Amino acid sequence: MSSEIAQVEGCEFTTDELQLFHRYYKYDWQSAGLAAAPVSQRIQHFVAAVDPAADSQRLRDWLRTMGIVDESEKTAQAKLYDRFERYDFAAASGFNQKLADVYDTEDVTRYGIGERMERAKAQYYNDHVEPLDYDEYKAYMVVNAPKPVCPYQDMWDLKGVDKESADTDKFANVKTIDIAQLLDAGSTDVLTLSAINRFLDAAKSAYDDRYFAVAVVNSRCSGPEPMFLPALDSPDDCSEILKAAMRLRIELRNLNRAKPVVFFANGVVDASTLGILLSTPDIITSEMFCVSVSPTNKSAQAFPLTALYDWAHLASGQSKVAEGTAEYILCHPELVLRSAEWMALELGTGFVSHRKFASGMEQVLLAASCPPPHTRDALRKACAIESVYAGPSKISVWEQEVHRYFAPLAGGEKSLAELVSELQQLDTPWTGKYLAFVNAPRANAVAEARVAGMRVVRGLEYSQALALELLASIAWSKGTREPSKLFGNDKAPKLADILMETTGSVDANSGALQSEVPGECPFAKMYRKNPDRFKHVDLKSISDHRSLNLK
C-alpha cells in the first residue's frame, strides 16, 4: 500500500491504517444501500466486502477521534444533543421572531453570530421541544469535542458540502422565485415573452405581507456550465420582449424598495438579461457564475445596450471602481466577468463556494426570515458570514491603463476613434489583443454605441435613462447603428408611455405598468439645474446615492 499519508506527532495510527481508514470514509455508502445505516453495520460491511484484513476495532477507534460513534454507544445526554443539532429550526413556527436579536450586534463574524444563533436555538428548543440547558450543552461539547488525529482530515471534511440543493420551501416568510419554473416547457436556454411575464407576476405577488424577503434562484442550475439566467428570446420584432424585460426590471427595483430581493446566481448570466440581475444590489455568486458582455459576444451584439445606466454609473458616488472601467469592460473583445471581477466591481454582496452554496443559501434564507425592519440587515450580515474571498480580479491589474487611456474616454475628453488610434500607436501585445474588435464591423458598432450611450446617460436621471436605453435598444434591433440616431432624441417620451405602447401581440398576463418608475434623487435634479446654488454643500459626503449623478 502506498504511503502518501504522512505520520504526525501524537498519532497512534500507522500510515497504512490511515490509508485504509480514508478508503472507509470515502466509500460509496449510497450505492451499497447503507447511507442511513449505523456505524457498526457499515464497519461490518466494509470488513466483509471491501477489505477483510481491516481491523474493525481500530477502525472504530479512529472514527471515535472524529466524533463518529455508533448510536448504541451513545449516552442519553449525547442523544439529546444529537436531536437538538438535527432539529429543523428553519421550519419551526415562531423561531424567526428570535432572529432580530441574533443579528442585532456589531460582531459580524462567524463565531460571534454563530454563538448568538446557537443560544437562540437552545432557548427555543428548551421552550418548545424538550428541556435543554445551553451551558451544560456547551460544557459537554467542549469535553467531548472530536480530536482528529489525521493530518489530512480538513481536506475531505464534507460538512456543509453534502447538500445538492437548498430546501427553499421550508422558509415560509421568503418568497422564492425559481427561474427554472418560469421557463417555457422544453426551453432552458431562452427567456421568452411569456416567461418574462410569469417572472413579472411572481414579483408582483411577493408584495404580500407574509413575505419578508424575496429569493431568486434557479433549481436547474447544475452541470459544468450551469445556466442561471438565460438569454432573451430574439423574435423578428424585439420591441415587446424588450418592453417586458424593462417592466420586470422596474418591478424588481420597486419590490427591492419594499423588501430585500436577493439573487443566488450560481451559474451563467446571459449578457442580454444582465439588467434583470442588476435590479437589486443583493447578488450572491459562486465560482460557477460568469457573464460575457464582450462586443464580440453574439448575445451582446443582439442586445448591446442592456443595463446602460448601471454601467454608466459604475464608478460614481463612493465607489472604489476607477473611472473608465465600464468603457474598458464593454469594449474588451475577450473579457469574461467572473465572481472575482464581479466582487471587485462592487456589484455583488457575497461569494460562496459552489461546494457549500446550498448550505450557505439556507443560512442566508434563514436570516431573511427575520421580521422587518431587521430583515435586510440580518440578510446582509448572514451573507457576510457565509462569504469567502472570490480571488484576484483580472481587471484590477489593468488599473493604470484604465486610468490613463479609458478615463478620458469616459469623461468625454476623447472619442473612441481617438482611443483606438492612441492604442494602435503603442503597438504592445495587450493593445493588439484588445483592439481585435476594431476589425469586426459589428463588434466595433457595439463598442461605439455603448461608449456614446453611457456618455449621454450620465447626464440623465434614472427614468429618462431607462427610456433612452429602451428606445435605443428597439432601434438597434431594427438595424439602426449610428450613435447619433440611437441617442439623439432630445425629446424622448416618458418611459411609462413607451411601456404602455403595444402592438397587440403582447401576452395577456403582462398587464399595464402599475408601479411608478423610481426617480432620481431630487437633490441631483436641483443641482443639475443650478450647480452654483450648492457650492457650500459637501458633495462628497452625500454622493454615495447610486442614482445621484452630479457630472
Side-chain angles (χ1 to χ4, degrees), residues 52-127:
D55 187 328
S56 60
Q57 186 56 50
R58 294 285 285 176
L59 180 54
R60 192 182 299 272
D61 291 342
W62 176 72
L63 290 171
R64 191 175 287 111
T65 68
M66 297 188 298
I68 302 174
V69 182
D70 192 74
E71 196 70 21
S72 62
E73 299 179 21
K74 292 182 179 179
T75 64
Q77 190 178 27
K79 291 180 180 179
L80 166 64
Y81 297 148
D82 279 352
R83 291 194 297 273
F84 166 63
E85 292 178 346
R86 290 196 300 265
Y87 188 76
D88 189 358
F89 289 93
S93 175
F95 175 72
N96 64 320
Q97 300 296 323
K98 294 181 175 294
L99 294 176
D101 293 333
V102 171
Y103 290 99
D104 185 19
T105 176
E106 297 300 320
D107 183 13
V108 187
T109 62
R110 186 175 294 275
Y111 174 79
I113 295 293
E115 184 180 28
R116 295 171 71 89
M117 180 69 79
E118 198 173 58
R119 282 185 179 277
K121 288 181 176 179
Q123 181 182 348
Y124 181 93
Y125 193 84
N126 179 69
D127 294 344

Side-chain angles (χ1 to χ4, degrees), residues 93-391:
S93 175
F95 175 72
N96 64 320
Q97 300 296 323
K98 294 181 175 294
L99 294 176
D101 293 333
V102 171
Y103 290 99
D104 185 19
T105 176
E106 297 300 320
D107 183 13
V108 187
T109 62
R110 186 175 294 275
Y111 174 79
I113 295 293
E115 184 180 28
R116 295 171 71 89
M117 180 69 79
E118 198 173 58
R119 282 185 179 277
K121 288 181 176 179
Q123 181 182 348
Y124 181 93
Y125 193 84
N126 179 69
D127 294 344
H128 297 87
V129 185
E130 59 181 320
L132 183 142
D133 185 281
Y134 178 72
D135 293 331
E136 290 181 1
Y137 165 73
K138 290 298 291 184
Y140 176 90
M141 297 306 292
V142 169
V143 174
N144 295 276
K147 301 174 179 62
V149 295
C150 174
Y152 297 94
Q153 179 176 331
D154 63 320
M155 296 177 64
W156 40 267
D157 180 11
L158 299 179
K159 184 177 181 181
V161 179
D162 53 348
K163 295 184 70 67
E164 292 185 3
S165 61
D167 183 5
T168 57
D169 292 338
K170 63 184 178 183
F171 301 97
N173 296 113
V174 179
K175 169 68 175 179
T176 301
I177 300 177
D178 187 353
I179 296 172
Q181 296 179 6
L182 303 175
L183 302 178
D184 294 353
S187 175
T188 60
D189 58 351
V190 66
L191 205 60
T192 63
L193 180 61
S194 56
I196 293 175
N197 288 327
R198 284 191 287 271
F199 202 153
L200 180 62
D201 290 341
K204 289 179 178 178
S205 69
Y207 285 99
D208 192 309
D209 289 341
R210 62 180 164 163
Y211 300 126
F212 303 154
V214 181
V216 182
V217 304
N218 190 327
S219 59
R220 295 180 196 158
C221 218
S222 60
E225 293 185 1
M227 177 59 71
F228 174 75
L229 195 54
L232 286 181
D233 193 11
S234 301
D236 293 337
D237 185 350
C238 294
S239 301
E240 297 308 327
I241 197 165
L242 286 167
K243 291 177 184 178
M246 186 63 75
R247 288 190 187 95
L248 176 59
R249 288 165 58 183
I250 294 169
E251 194 66 58
L252 288 172
R253 283 185 182 260
N254 280 327
L255 179 60
N256 190 61
R257 295 163 68 185
K259 57 191 66 178
V261 178
V262 56
F263 277 74
F264 291 92
N266 188 26
V268 179
V269 174
D270 190 82
S272 62
T273 48
L274 183 59
I276 297 174
L277 179 69
L278 290 173
S279 299
T280 174
D282 294 310
I283 303 168
I284 300 173
T285 66
S286 76
E287 59 267 38
M288 308 306 290
F289 168 83
C290 72
V291 56
S292 171
V293 292
S294 163
T296 60
N297 178 281
K298 184 178 179 180
S299 184
Q301 290 181 352
F303 302 98
L305 306 176
T306 302
L308 202 58
Y309 182 88
D310 300 279
W311 286 117
H313 294 282
L314 187 66
S316 64
Q318 297 296 313
S319 172
K320 296 179 181 178
V321 179
E323 186 177 17
T325 301
E327 281 74 7
Y328 171 80
I329 293 172
L330 294 180
C331 295
H332 200 296
E334 297 181 359
L335 181 63
V336 175
L337 299 178
R338 301 189 183 276
S339 289
E341 291 74 44
W342 196 254
M343 295 300 294
L345 294 173
E346 302 176 7
L347 295 174
T349 310
F351 169 81
V352 179
S353 167
H354 178 68
R355 296 173 66 248
K356 297 190 175 183
F357 200 80
S359 59
M361 183 189 300
E362 289 192 358
Q363 292 302 312
V364 174
L365 292 179
L366 177 60
S369 303
C370 178
H374 311 285
T375 314
R376 199 180 302 269
D377 182 58
L379 184 153
R380 288 180 176 172
K381 285 179 177 177
C383 179
I385 293 168
E386 296 300 318
S387 295
V388 294
Y389 176 54

Side-chain angles (χ1 to χ4, degrees), residues 314-522:
L314 187 66
S316 64
Q318 297 296 313
S319 172
K320 296 179 181 178
V321 179
E323 186 177 17
T325 301
E327 281 74 7
Y328 171 80
I329 293 172
L330 294 180
C331 295
H332 200 296
E334 297 181 359
L335 181 63
V336 175
L337 299 178
R338 301 189 183 276
S339 289
E341 291 74 44
W342 196 254
M343 295 300 294
L345 294 173
E346 302 176 7
L347 295 174
T349 310
F351 169 81
V352 179
S353 167
H354 178 68
R355 296 173 66 248
K356 297 190 175 183
F357 200 80
S359 59
M361 183 189 300
E362 289 192 358
Q363 292 302 312
V364 174
L365 292 179
L366 177 60
S369 303
C370 178
H374 311 285
T375 314
R376 199 180 302 269
D377 182 58
L379 184 153
R380 288 180 176 172
K381 285 179 177 177
C383 179
I385 293 168
E386 296 300 318
S387 295
V388 294
Y389 176 54
S393 168
K394 291 182 290 187
I395 299 174
S396 300
V397 298
W398 298 101
E399 191 169 322
Q400 288 185 348
E401 287 77 7
V402 169
H403 175 74
R404 181 172 180 180
Y405 301 109
F406 293 88
L409 181 64
E413 300 165 24
K414 69 170 67 170
S415 66
L416 183 60
E418 290 172 331
L419 172 66
V420 169
S421 177
E422 186 177 8
L423 295 183
Q424 286 174 335
Q425 292 177 14
L426 292 178
D427 193 24
T428 62
W430 82 267
T431 55
K433 195 173 184 180
Y434 189 92
L435 292 173
F437 74 87
V438 177
N439 297 321
R442 192 172 181 85
N444 191 48
V446 168
E448 288 182 347
R450 286 173 166 177
V451 171
M454 285 190 290
R455 192 171 294 173
V456 173
V457 161
R458 289 188 178 106
L460 300 177
E461 60 99 9
Y462 180 62
S463 61
Q464 290 176 327
L466 291 189
L468 186 64
E469 176 191 323
L470 180 55
L471 287 175
S473 296
I474 293 173
W476 178 278
S477 70
K478 294 179 179 180
T480 302
R481 296 292 181 266
E482 298 84 350
S484 60
K485 293 182 179 180
L486 291 170
F487 306 105
N489 189 355
D490 295 331
K491 297 182 179 180
K494 292 183 179 180
L495 179 60
D497 294 337
I498 303 171
L499 294 176
M500 294 297 286
E501 297 173 358
T502 64
T503 61
S505 60
V506 110
D507 191 292
N509 293 324
S510 66
L513 181 67
Q514 298 178 358
S515 54
E516 179 186 355
V517 179
E520 183 184 33
C521 170

